[in-house]
Amino acid sequence: MTWVERFNRRVATSPVGRYFQLEFSGHRKERKGSRFFTEIRAGLATFFAMASVNANITSQSGGTCVCNAGPDDPICANDTDYLLCVGVVNRDLVTATAAISALTSFFMGLGANMPIACAPGMGLNAYFAYQVVGFHGSGPVPYSLAVTAVFVEGFIFVALSIFGMRQWLARAIPASIKLATGAGIGLYLALIGLTYSAGIGAVTGATSTPLELAGCIDEYKNADTGMCESHKLRNPTLWIGIFCGGIFTAFLMMYRVKGAIIAGIALVSIISWPRGTEVTYFPYTETGNSNFDFFKKVVAFHPIEKILVAQEWNLSGAGSQFGLALVTFLYVDILDCTGTLYSMAHFANLIDERTQDFEGSAVAYLVDAIGVSIGSLFGCPPVTAYIESGAGISEGGMTGITAMVTGICFFISLFFAPIFASIPPWATGCTLIIVGSMMMKAAADINWAYPGDGIPAFVTIMVMPFTYSIAYGLIAGIITYIVLNVGVWVIKKASGGRIVPYGEEMKDPWTWKIPGGFFPKWVVRASRGDKTFWKSDEIDGESNVDGSARRSGSAGGAEGNKYGEPFAEEKKA
């Protein structure tokens, strides 16, 4: 036994190991295969996959920068002063992202014991930057009103989480849709990894077609559309990302080299930092010089200058804009977070097949909800469970230690902002593609045999990447499922059971009467008049559907056999 294995065993048998249910901890629900050092490595992988993406996307909204250019450049795409201001917003968002991610990820791991980190979510930040506020403020809602709506949304989510509505929604979604959500998020991640803003730049939007092959350098891009007018696939950063970030990482994973994802991101970043090369992240331009000056500081804390507490509470004359932002964030975020949390828990094999819930779900949703409001004060779009957590889970992360390590890394990064603000998007692009490929395996478990399950699942998978939104994919899939299956039910009832679709017996069962009930257990205990309703009545982490504890024979005189089954008296009752 090596010193690493001995140390893993020592941590597992400690109170820390039992709390986080590490293997060999003796906990009845210990998570097989979980190891302390593996959790640390997984947390690092999640951190590196998350480190540079949100600031790049959200800063495209322009934040609080004011565009004073003339009619020839209405969105300040070429205004140097405005772009320098956006550069400061980008650094502000690096600090803001690190701060809120450190806080929420740490408490997600500590409170919910889930290997899921939290940060301003992919998809949500794109929705915030490109559809609500708009590129450089060209959207229908000003930045200050948008973050105000996010702040209010967080408190609404706290109420929904406390009373169990978000948890029930996640459990009530049909099985085929939930499986399809994981696969759809995988494709969505892959698309993010292929784009310019957060990936290797292999695809871009087009006019005659939705997407088009890209991979050209900036001078060959159309200034208005961003399309490559020529020299496609000639951008050296594309190939550095593919071979040093993608193929290299894939080979390491094939040979089960630990830390493969971290190694790929680090290799591409180091190659991209020297100036004067064709793949440098710091070209000799105004913005490149500004970024390099910041990078040279290495150790520095960048205070949030332009977006801290930027809320606008004077809604006179802007009530409709505020309402639009609030309503859209509510329905997009509730489905986005629900789908992401469930899919990540499923990816980590932590879903209870009976209740379709995961342990610590109530705390997980509360941490997410509180993080939404706190994050808005830092100037961030809605905080949610981060889909890049899949990078850590693919490295073997199974407990909350993974998320806590990610949170600690984000806290440390506050003082090394110049380094982490300088990880180029092409360093993380292929990592997202690789993680997406792993998440696609969920599609194999979908019930393709019955169209009432298979077609809604496919719609979910298809719409997520094509609309750049997890929420829209869920909405489309759920509506399709309802229309098809309610239609079949109506026809069956109207015909007296004589007209039924072929293969109906192969349909996945669904009911709204899910084991565990609608309300969380603390509400049930409070309704029974339990004066200590906030305390769980579970023993060794297991309880019946009605909230009564199953007793384990290992609990020093507790009634029950070694499998936690009740004695005959309890069975008769």
Side-chain angles (χ1 to χ4, degrees):
M1 184 182 292
T2 66
W3 72 269
V4 172
E5 292 170 333
R6 287 196 300 270
F7 192 86
N8 283 335
R9 290 290 184 98
R10 193 172 302 162
V11 173
T13 55
S14 70
V16 172
R18 183 170 177 81
Y19 178 84
F20 289 106
Q21 303 173 13
L22 294 173
E23 187 172 9
F24 307 118
S25 65
H27 195 286
R28 289 189 60 195
K29 292 187 176 182
E30 66 179 29
R31 300 178 183 180
K32 300 299 181 183
S34 56
R35 303 286 192 277
F36 180 69
F37 277 113
T38 301
E39 297 294 315
I40 292 176
R41 187 175 67 248
L44 292 172
T46 299
F47 167 72
F48 280 106
M50 294 170 66
S52 67
V53 178
N54 175 63
N56 291 341
I57 293 176
T58 308
S59 63
Q60 297 300 305
S61 69
T64 55
C65 298
V66 179
C67 178
N68 294 316
D72 294 335
D73 190 13
I75 57 175
C76 289
N78 301 302
D79 186 283
T80 300
D81 291 337
Y82 185 83
L83 294 178
L84 288 174
C85 177
V86 171
V88 176
V89 170
N90 183 288
R91 293 169 201 159
D92 285 355
L93 284 163
V94 169
T95 301
T97 301
I100 192 60
S101 300
L103 182 67
T104 53
S105 297
F106 186 87
F107 283 102
M108 177 68 79
L110 182 63
N113 194 23
M114 293 296 292
I116 301 173
C118 294
M122 292 301 299
L124 287 170
N125 55 12
Y127 181 77
F128 179 97
Y130 299 128
Q131 297 185 41
V132 178
V133 182
F135 180 74
H136 287 185
S138 59
V141 180
Y143 176 85
S144 56
L145 279 180
V147 291
T148 306
V150 173
F151 181 83
V152 175
E153 173 211 356
F155 283 98
I156 296 175
F157 277 172
V158 168
L160 295 177
S161 300
I162 287 175
F163 291 101
M165 296 179 187
R166 298 179 76 188
Q167 297 90 308
W168 182 86
L169 175 63
R171 295 157 56 213
I173 294 174
S176 60
I177 301 295
K178 285 188 281 195
L179 291 168
T181 299
I185 289 176
L187 287 179
Y188 177 53
L189 273 175
L191 180 60
I192 292 171
L194 289 170
T195 61
Y196 274 107
S197 60
I200 59 177
V203 299
T204 186
T207 52
S208 58
T209 57
L211 290 175
E212 188 175 275
L213 187 67
C216 62
I217 60 177
D218 289 342
E219 65 182 278
Y220 297 109
K221 286 184 192 175
N222 185 293
D224 297 323
T225 64
M227 295 167 51
C228 290
E229 296 178 337
S230 63
H231 293 73
K232 296 179 180 180
L233 301 181
R234 302 287 184 87
N235 192 338
T237 61
L238 167 67
W239 298 106
I240 289 292
I242 289 174
F243 284 102
C244 297
I247 301 298
F248 173 71
T249 301
F251 267 112
L252 293 181
M253 294 177 70
M254 289 169 67
Y255 288 97
R256 295 184 177 273
V257 176
K258 297 177 180 179
I261 290 175
I262 300 172
I265 295 173
L267 177 61
V268 177
S269 298
I270 292 170
I271 292 174
S272 304
W273 284 338
R275 304 195 80 178
T277 68
E278 292 185 348
V279 296
T280 183
Y281 189 53
F282 308 111
Y284 289 104
T285 61
E286 292 245 17
T287 53
N289 292 336
S290 177
N291 291 337
F292 188 67
D293 290 340
F294 184 56
F295 172 73
K296 288 189 296 185
K297 295 179 182 179
V298 181
V299 179
F301 174 78
H302 175 77
I304 302 175
E305 300 176 14
K306 296 184 176 295
I307 58 174
L308 187 64
V309 194
Q311 279 75 12
E312 173 57 66
W313 294 104
N314 182 8
L315 304 181
S316 58
S320 60
Q321 293 176 319
F322 175 80
L324 172 66
L326 178 60
V327 171
T328 52
F329 280 137
L330 271 173
Y331 83 79
V332 170
D333 195 13
I334 195 169
L335 290 174
D336 192 297
C337 181
T338 298
T340 303
L341 262 177
Y342 184 90
S343 297
M344 290 297 109
H346 186 273
F347 189 37
N349 295 318
L350 299 176
I351 294 293
D352 186 316
E353 294 300 328
R354 183 179 68 88
T355 64
Q356 287 297 295
D357 201 359
F358 57 90
E359 193 174 348
S361 61
V363 176
Y365 282 108
L366 270 175
V367 170
D368 163 74
I370 295 170
V372 169
S373 292
I374 297 175
S376 73
L377 297 176
F378 294 162
C380 290
V383 171
T384 185
Y386 219 62
I387 53 180
E388 275 78 359
S389 300
I393 295 171
S394 67
E395 283 280 354
M398 299 179 67
T399 76
I401 296 174
T402 294
M404 292 176 68
V405 169
T406 301
I408 292 170
C409 287
F410 271 113
F411 177 75
I412 294 172
S413 73
L414 284 169
F415 307 98
F416 291 88
I419 299 295
F420 296 109
S422 302
I423 297 176
W426 55 87
T428 57
C430 280
T431 296
L432 302 183
I433 295 170
I434 290 171
V435 173
S437 72
M438 296 176 179
M439 296 190 68
M440 281 301 296
K441 68 181 181 182
D445 298 325
I446 295 172
N447 179 25
W448 298 108
Y450 181 66
D453 291 322
I455 292 174
F458 176 75
V459 170
T460 302
I461 295 172
M462 172 186 67
V463 173
M464 281 187 186
F466 291 166
T467 62
Y468 215 69
S469 170
I470 296 169
Y472 290 162
L474 270 170
I475 291 169
I478 291 170
I479 290 175
T480 305
Y481 184 92
I482 292 172
V483 170
L484 292 179
N485 289 283
V486 170
V488 166
W489 179 82
V490 169
I491 293 172
K492 184 177 180 179
K493 290 294 182 181
S495 65
R498 291 187 295 273
I499 302 177
V500 296
Y502 177 78
E504 187 193 28
E505 68 279 1
M506 295 184 287
K507 181 184 185 302
D508 283 338
W510 180 86
T511 176
W512 65 273
K513 297 179 180 179
I514 304 165
F518 178 82
F519 292 105
K521 293 175 183 176
W522 76 266
V523 173
V524 176
R525 291 192 292 270
S527 67
R528 295 199 304 249
D530 191 339
K531 294 181 180 180
T532 57
F533 62 88
W534 62 88
K535 292 184 179 180
S536 174
D537 54 7
E538 295 177 294
I539 295 181
D540 283 335
E542 189 174 350
S543 68
N544 288 327
V545 173
D546 62 0
S548 60
R550 288 185 176 183
R551 300 185 182 274
S552 167
S554 63
E559 298 177 3
N561 63 22
K562 66 179 181 179
Y563 301 108
E565 296 173 342
F567 283 153
E569 296 81 22
E570 292 175 310
K571 290 182 178 180
K572 289 178 183 178

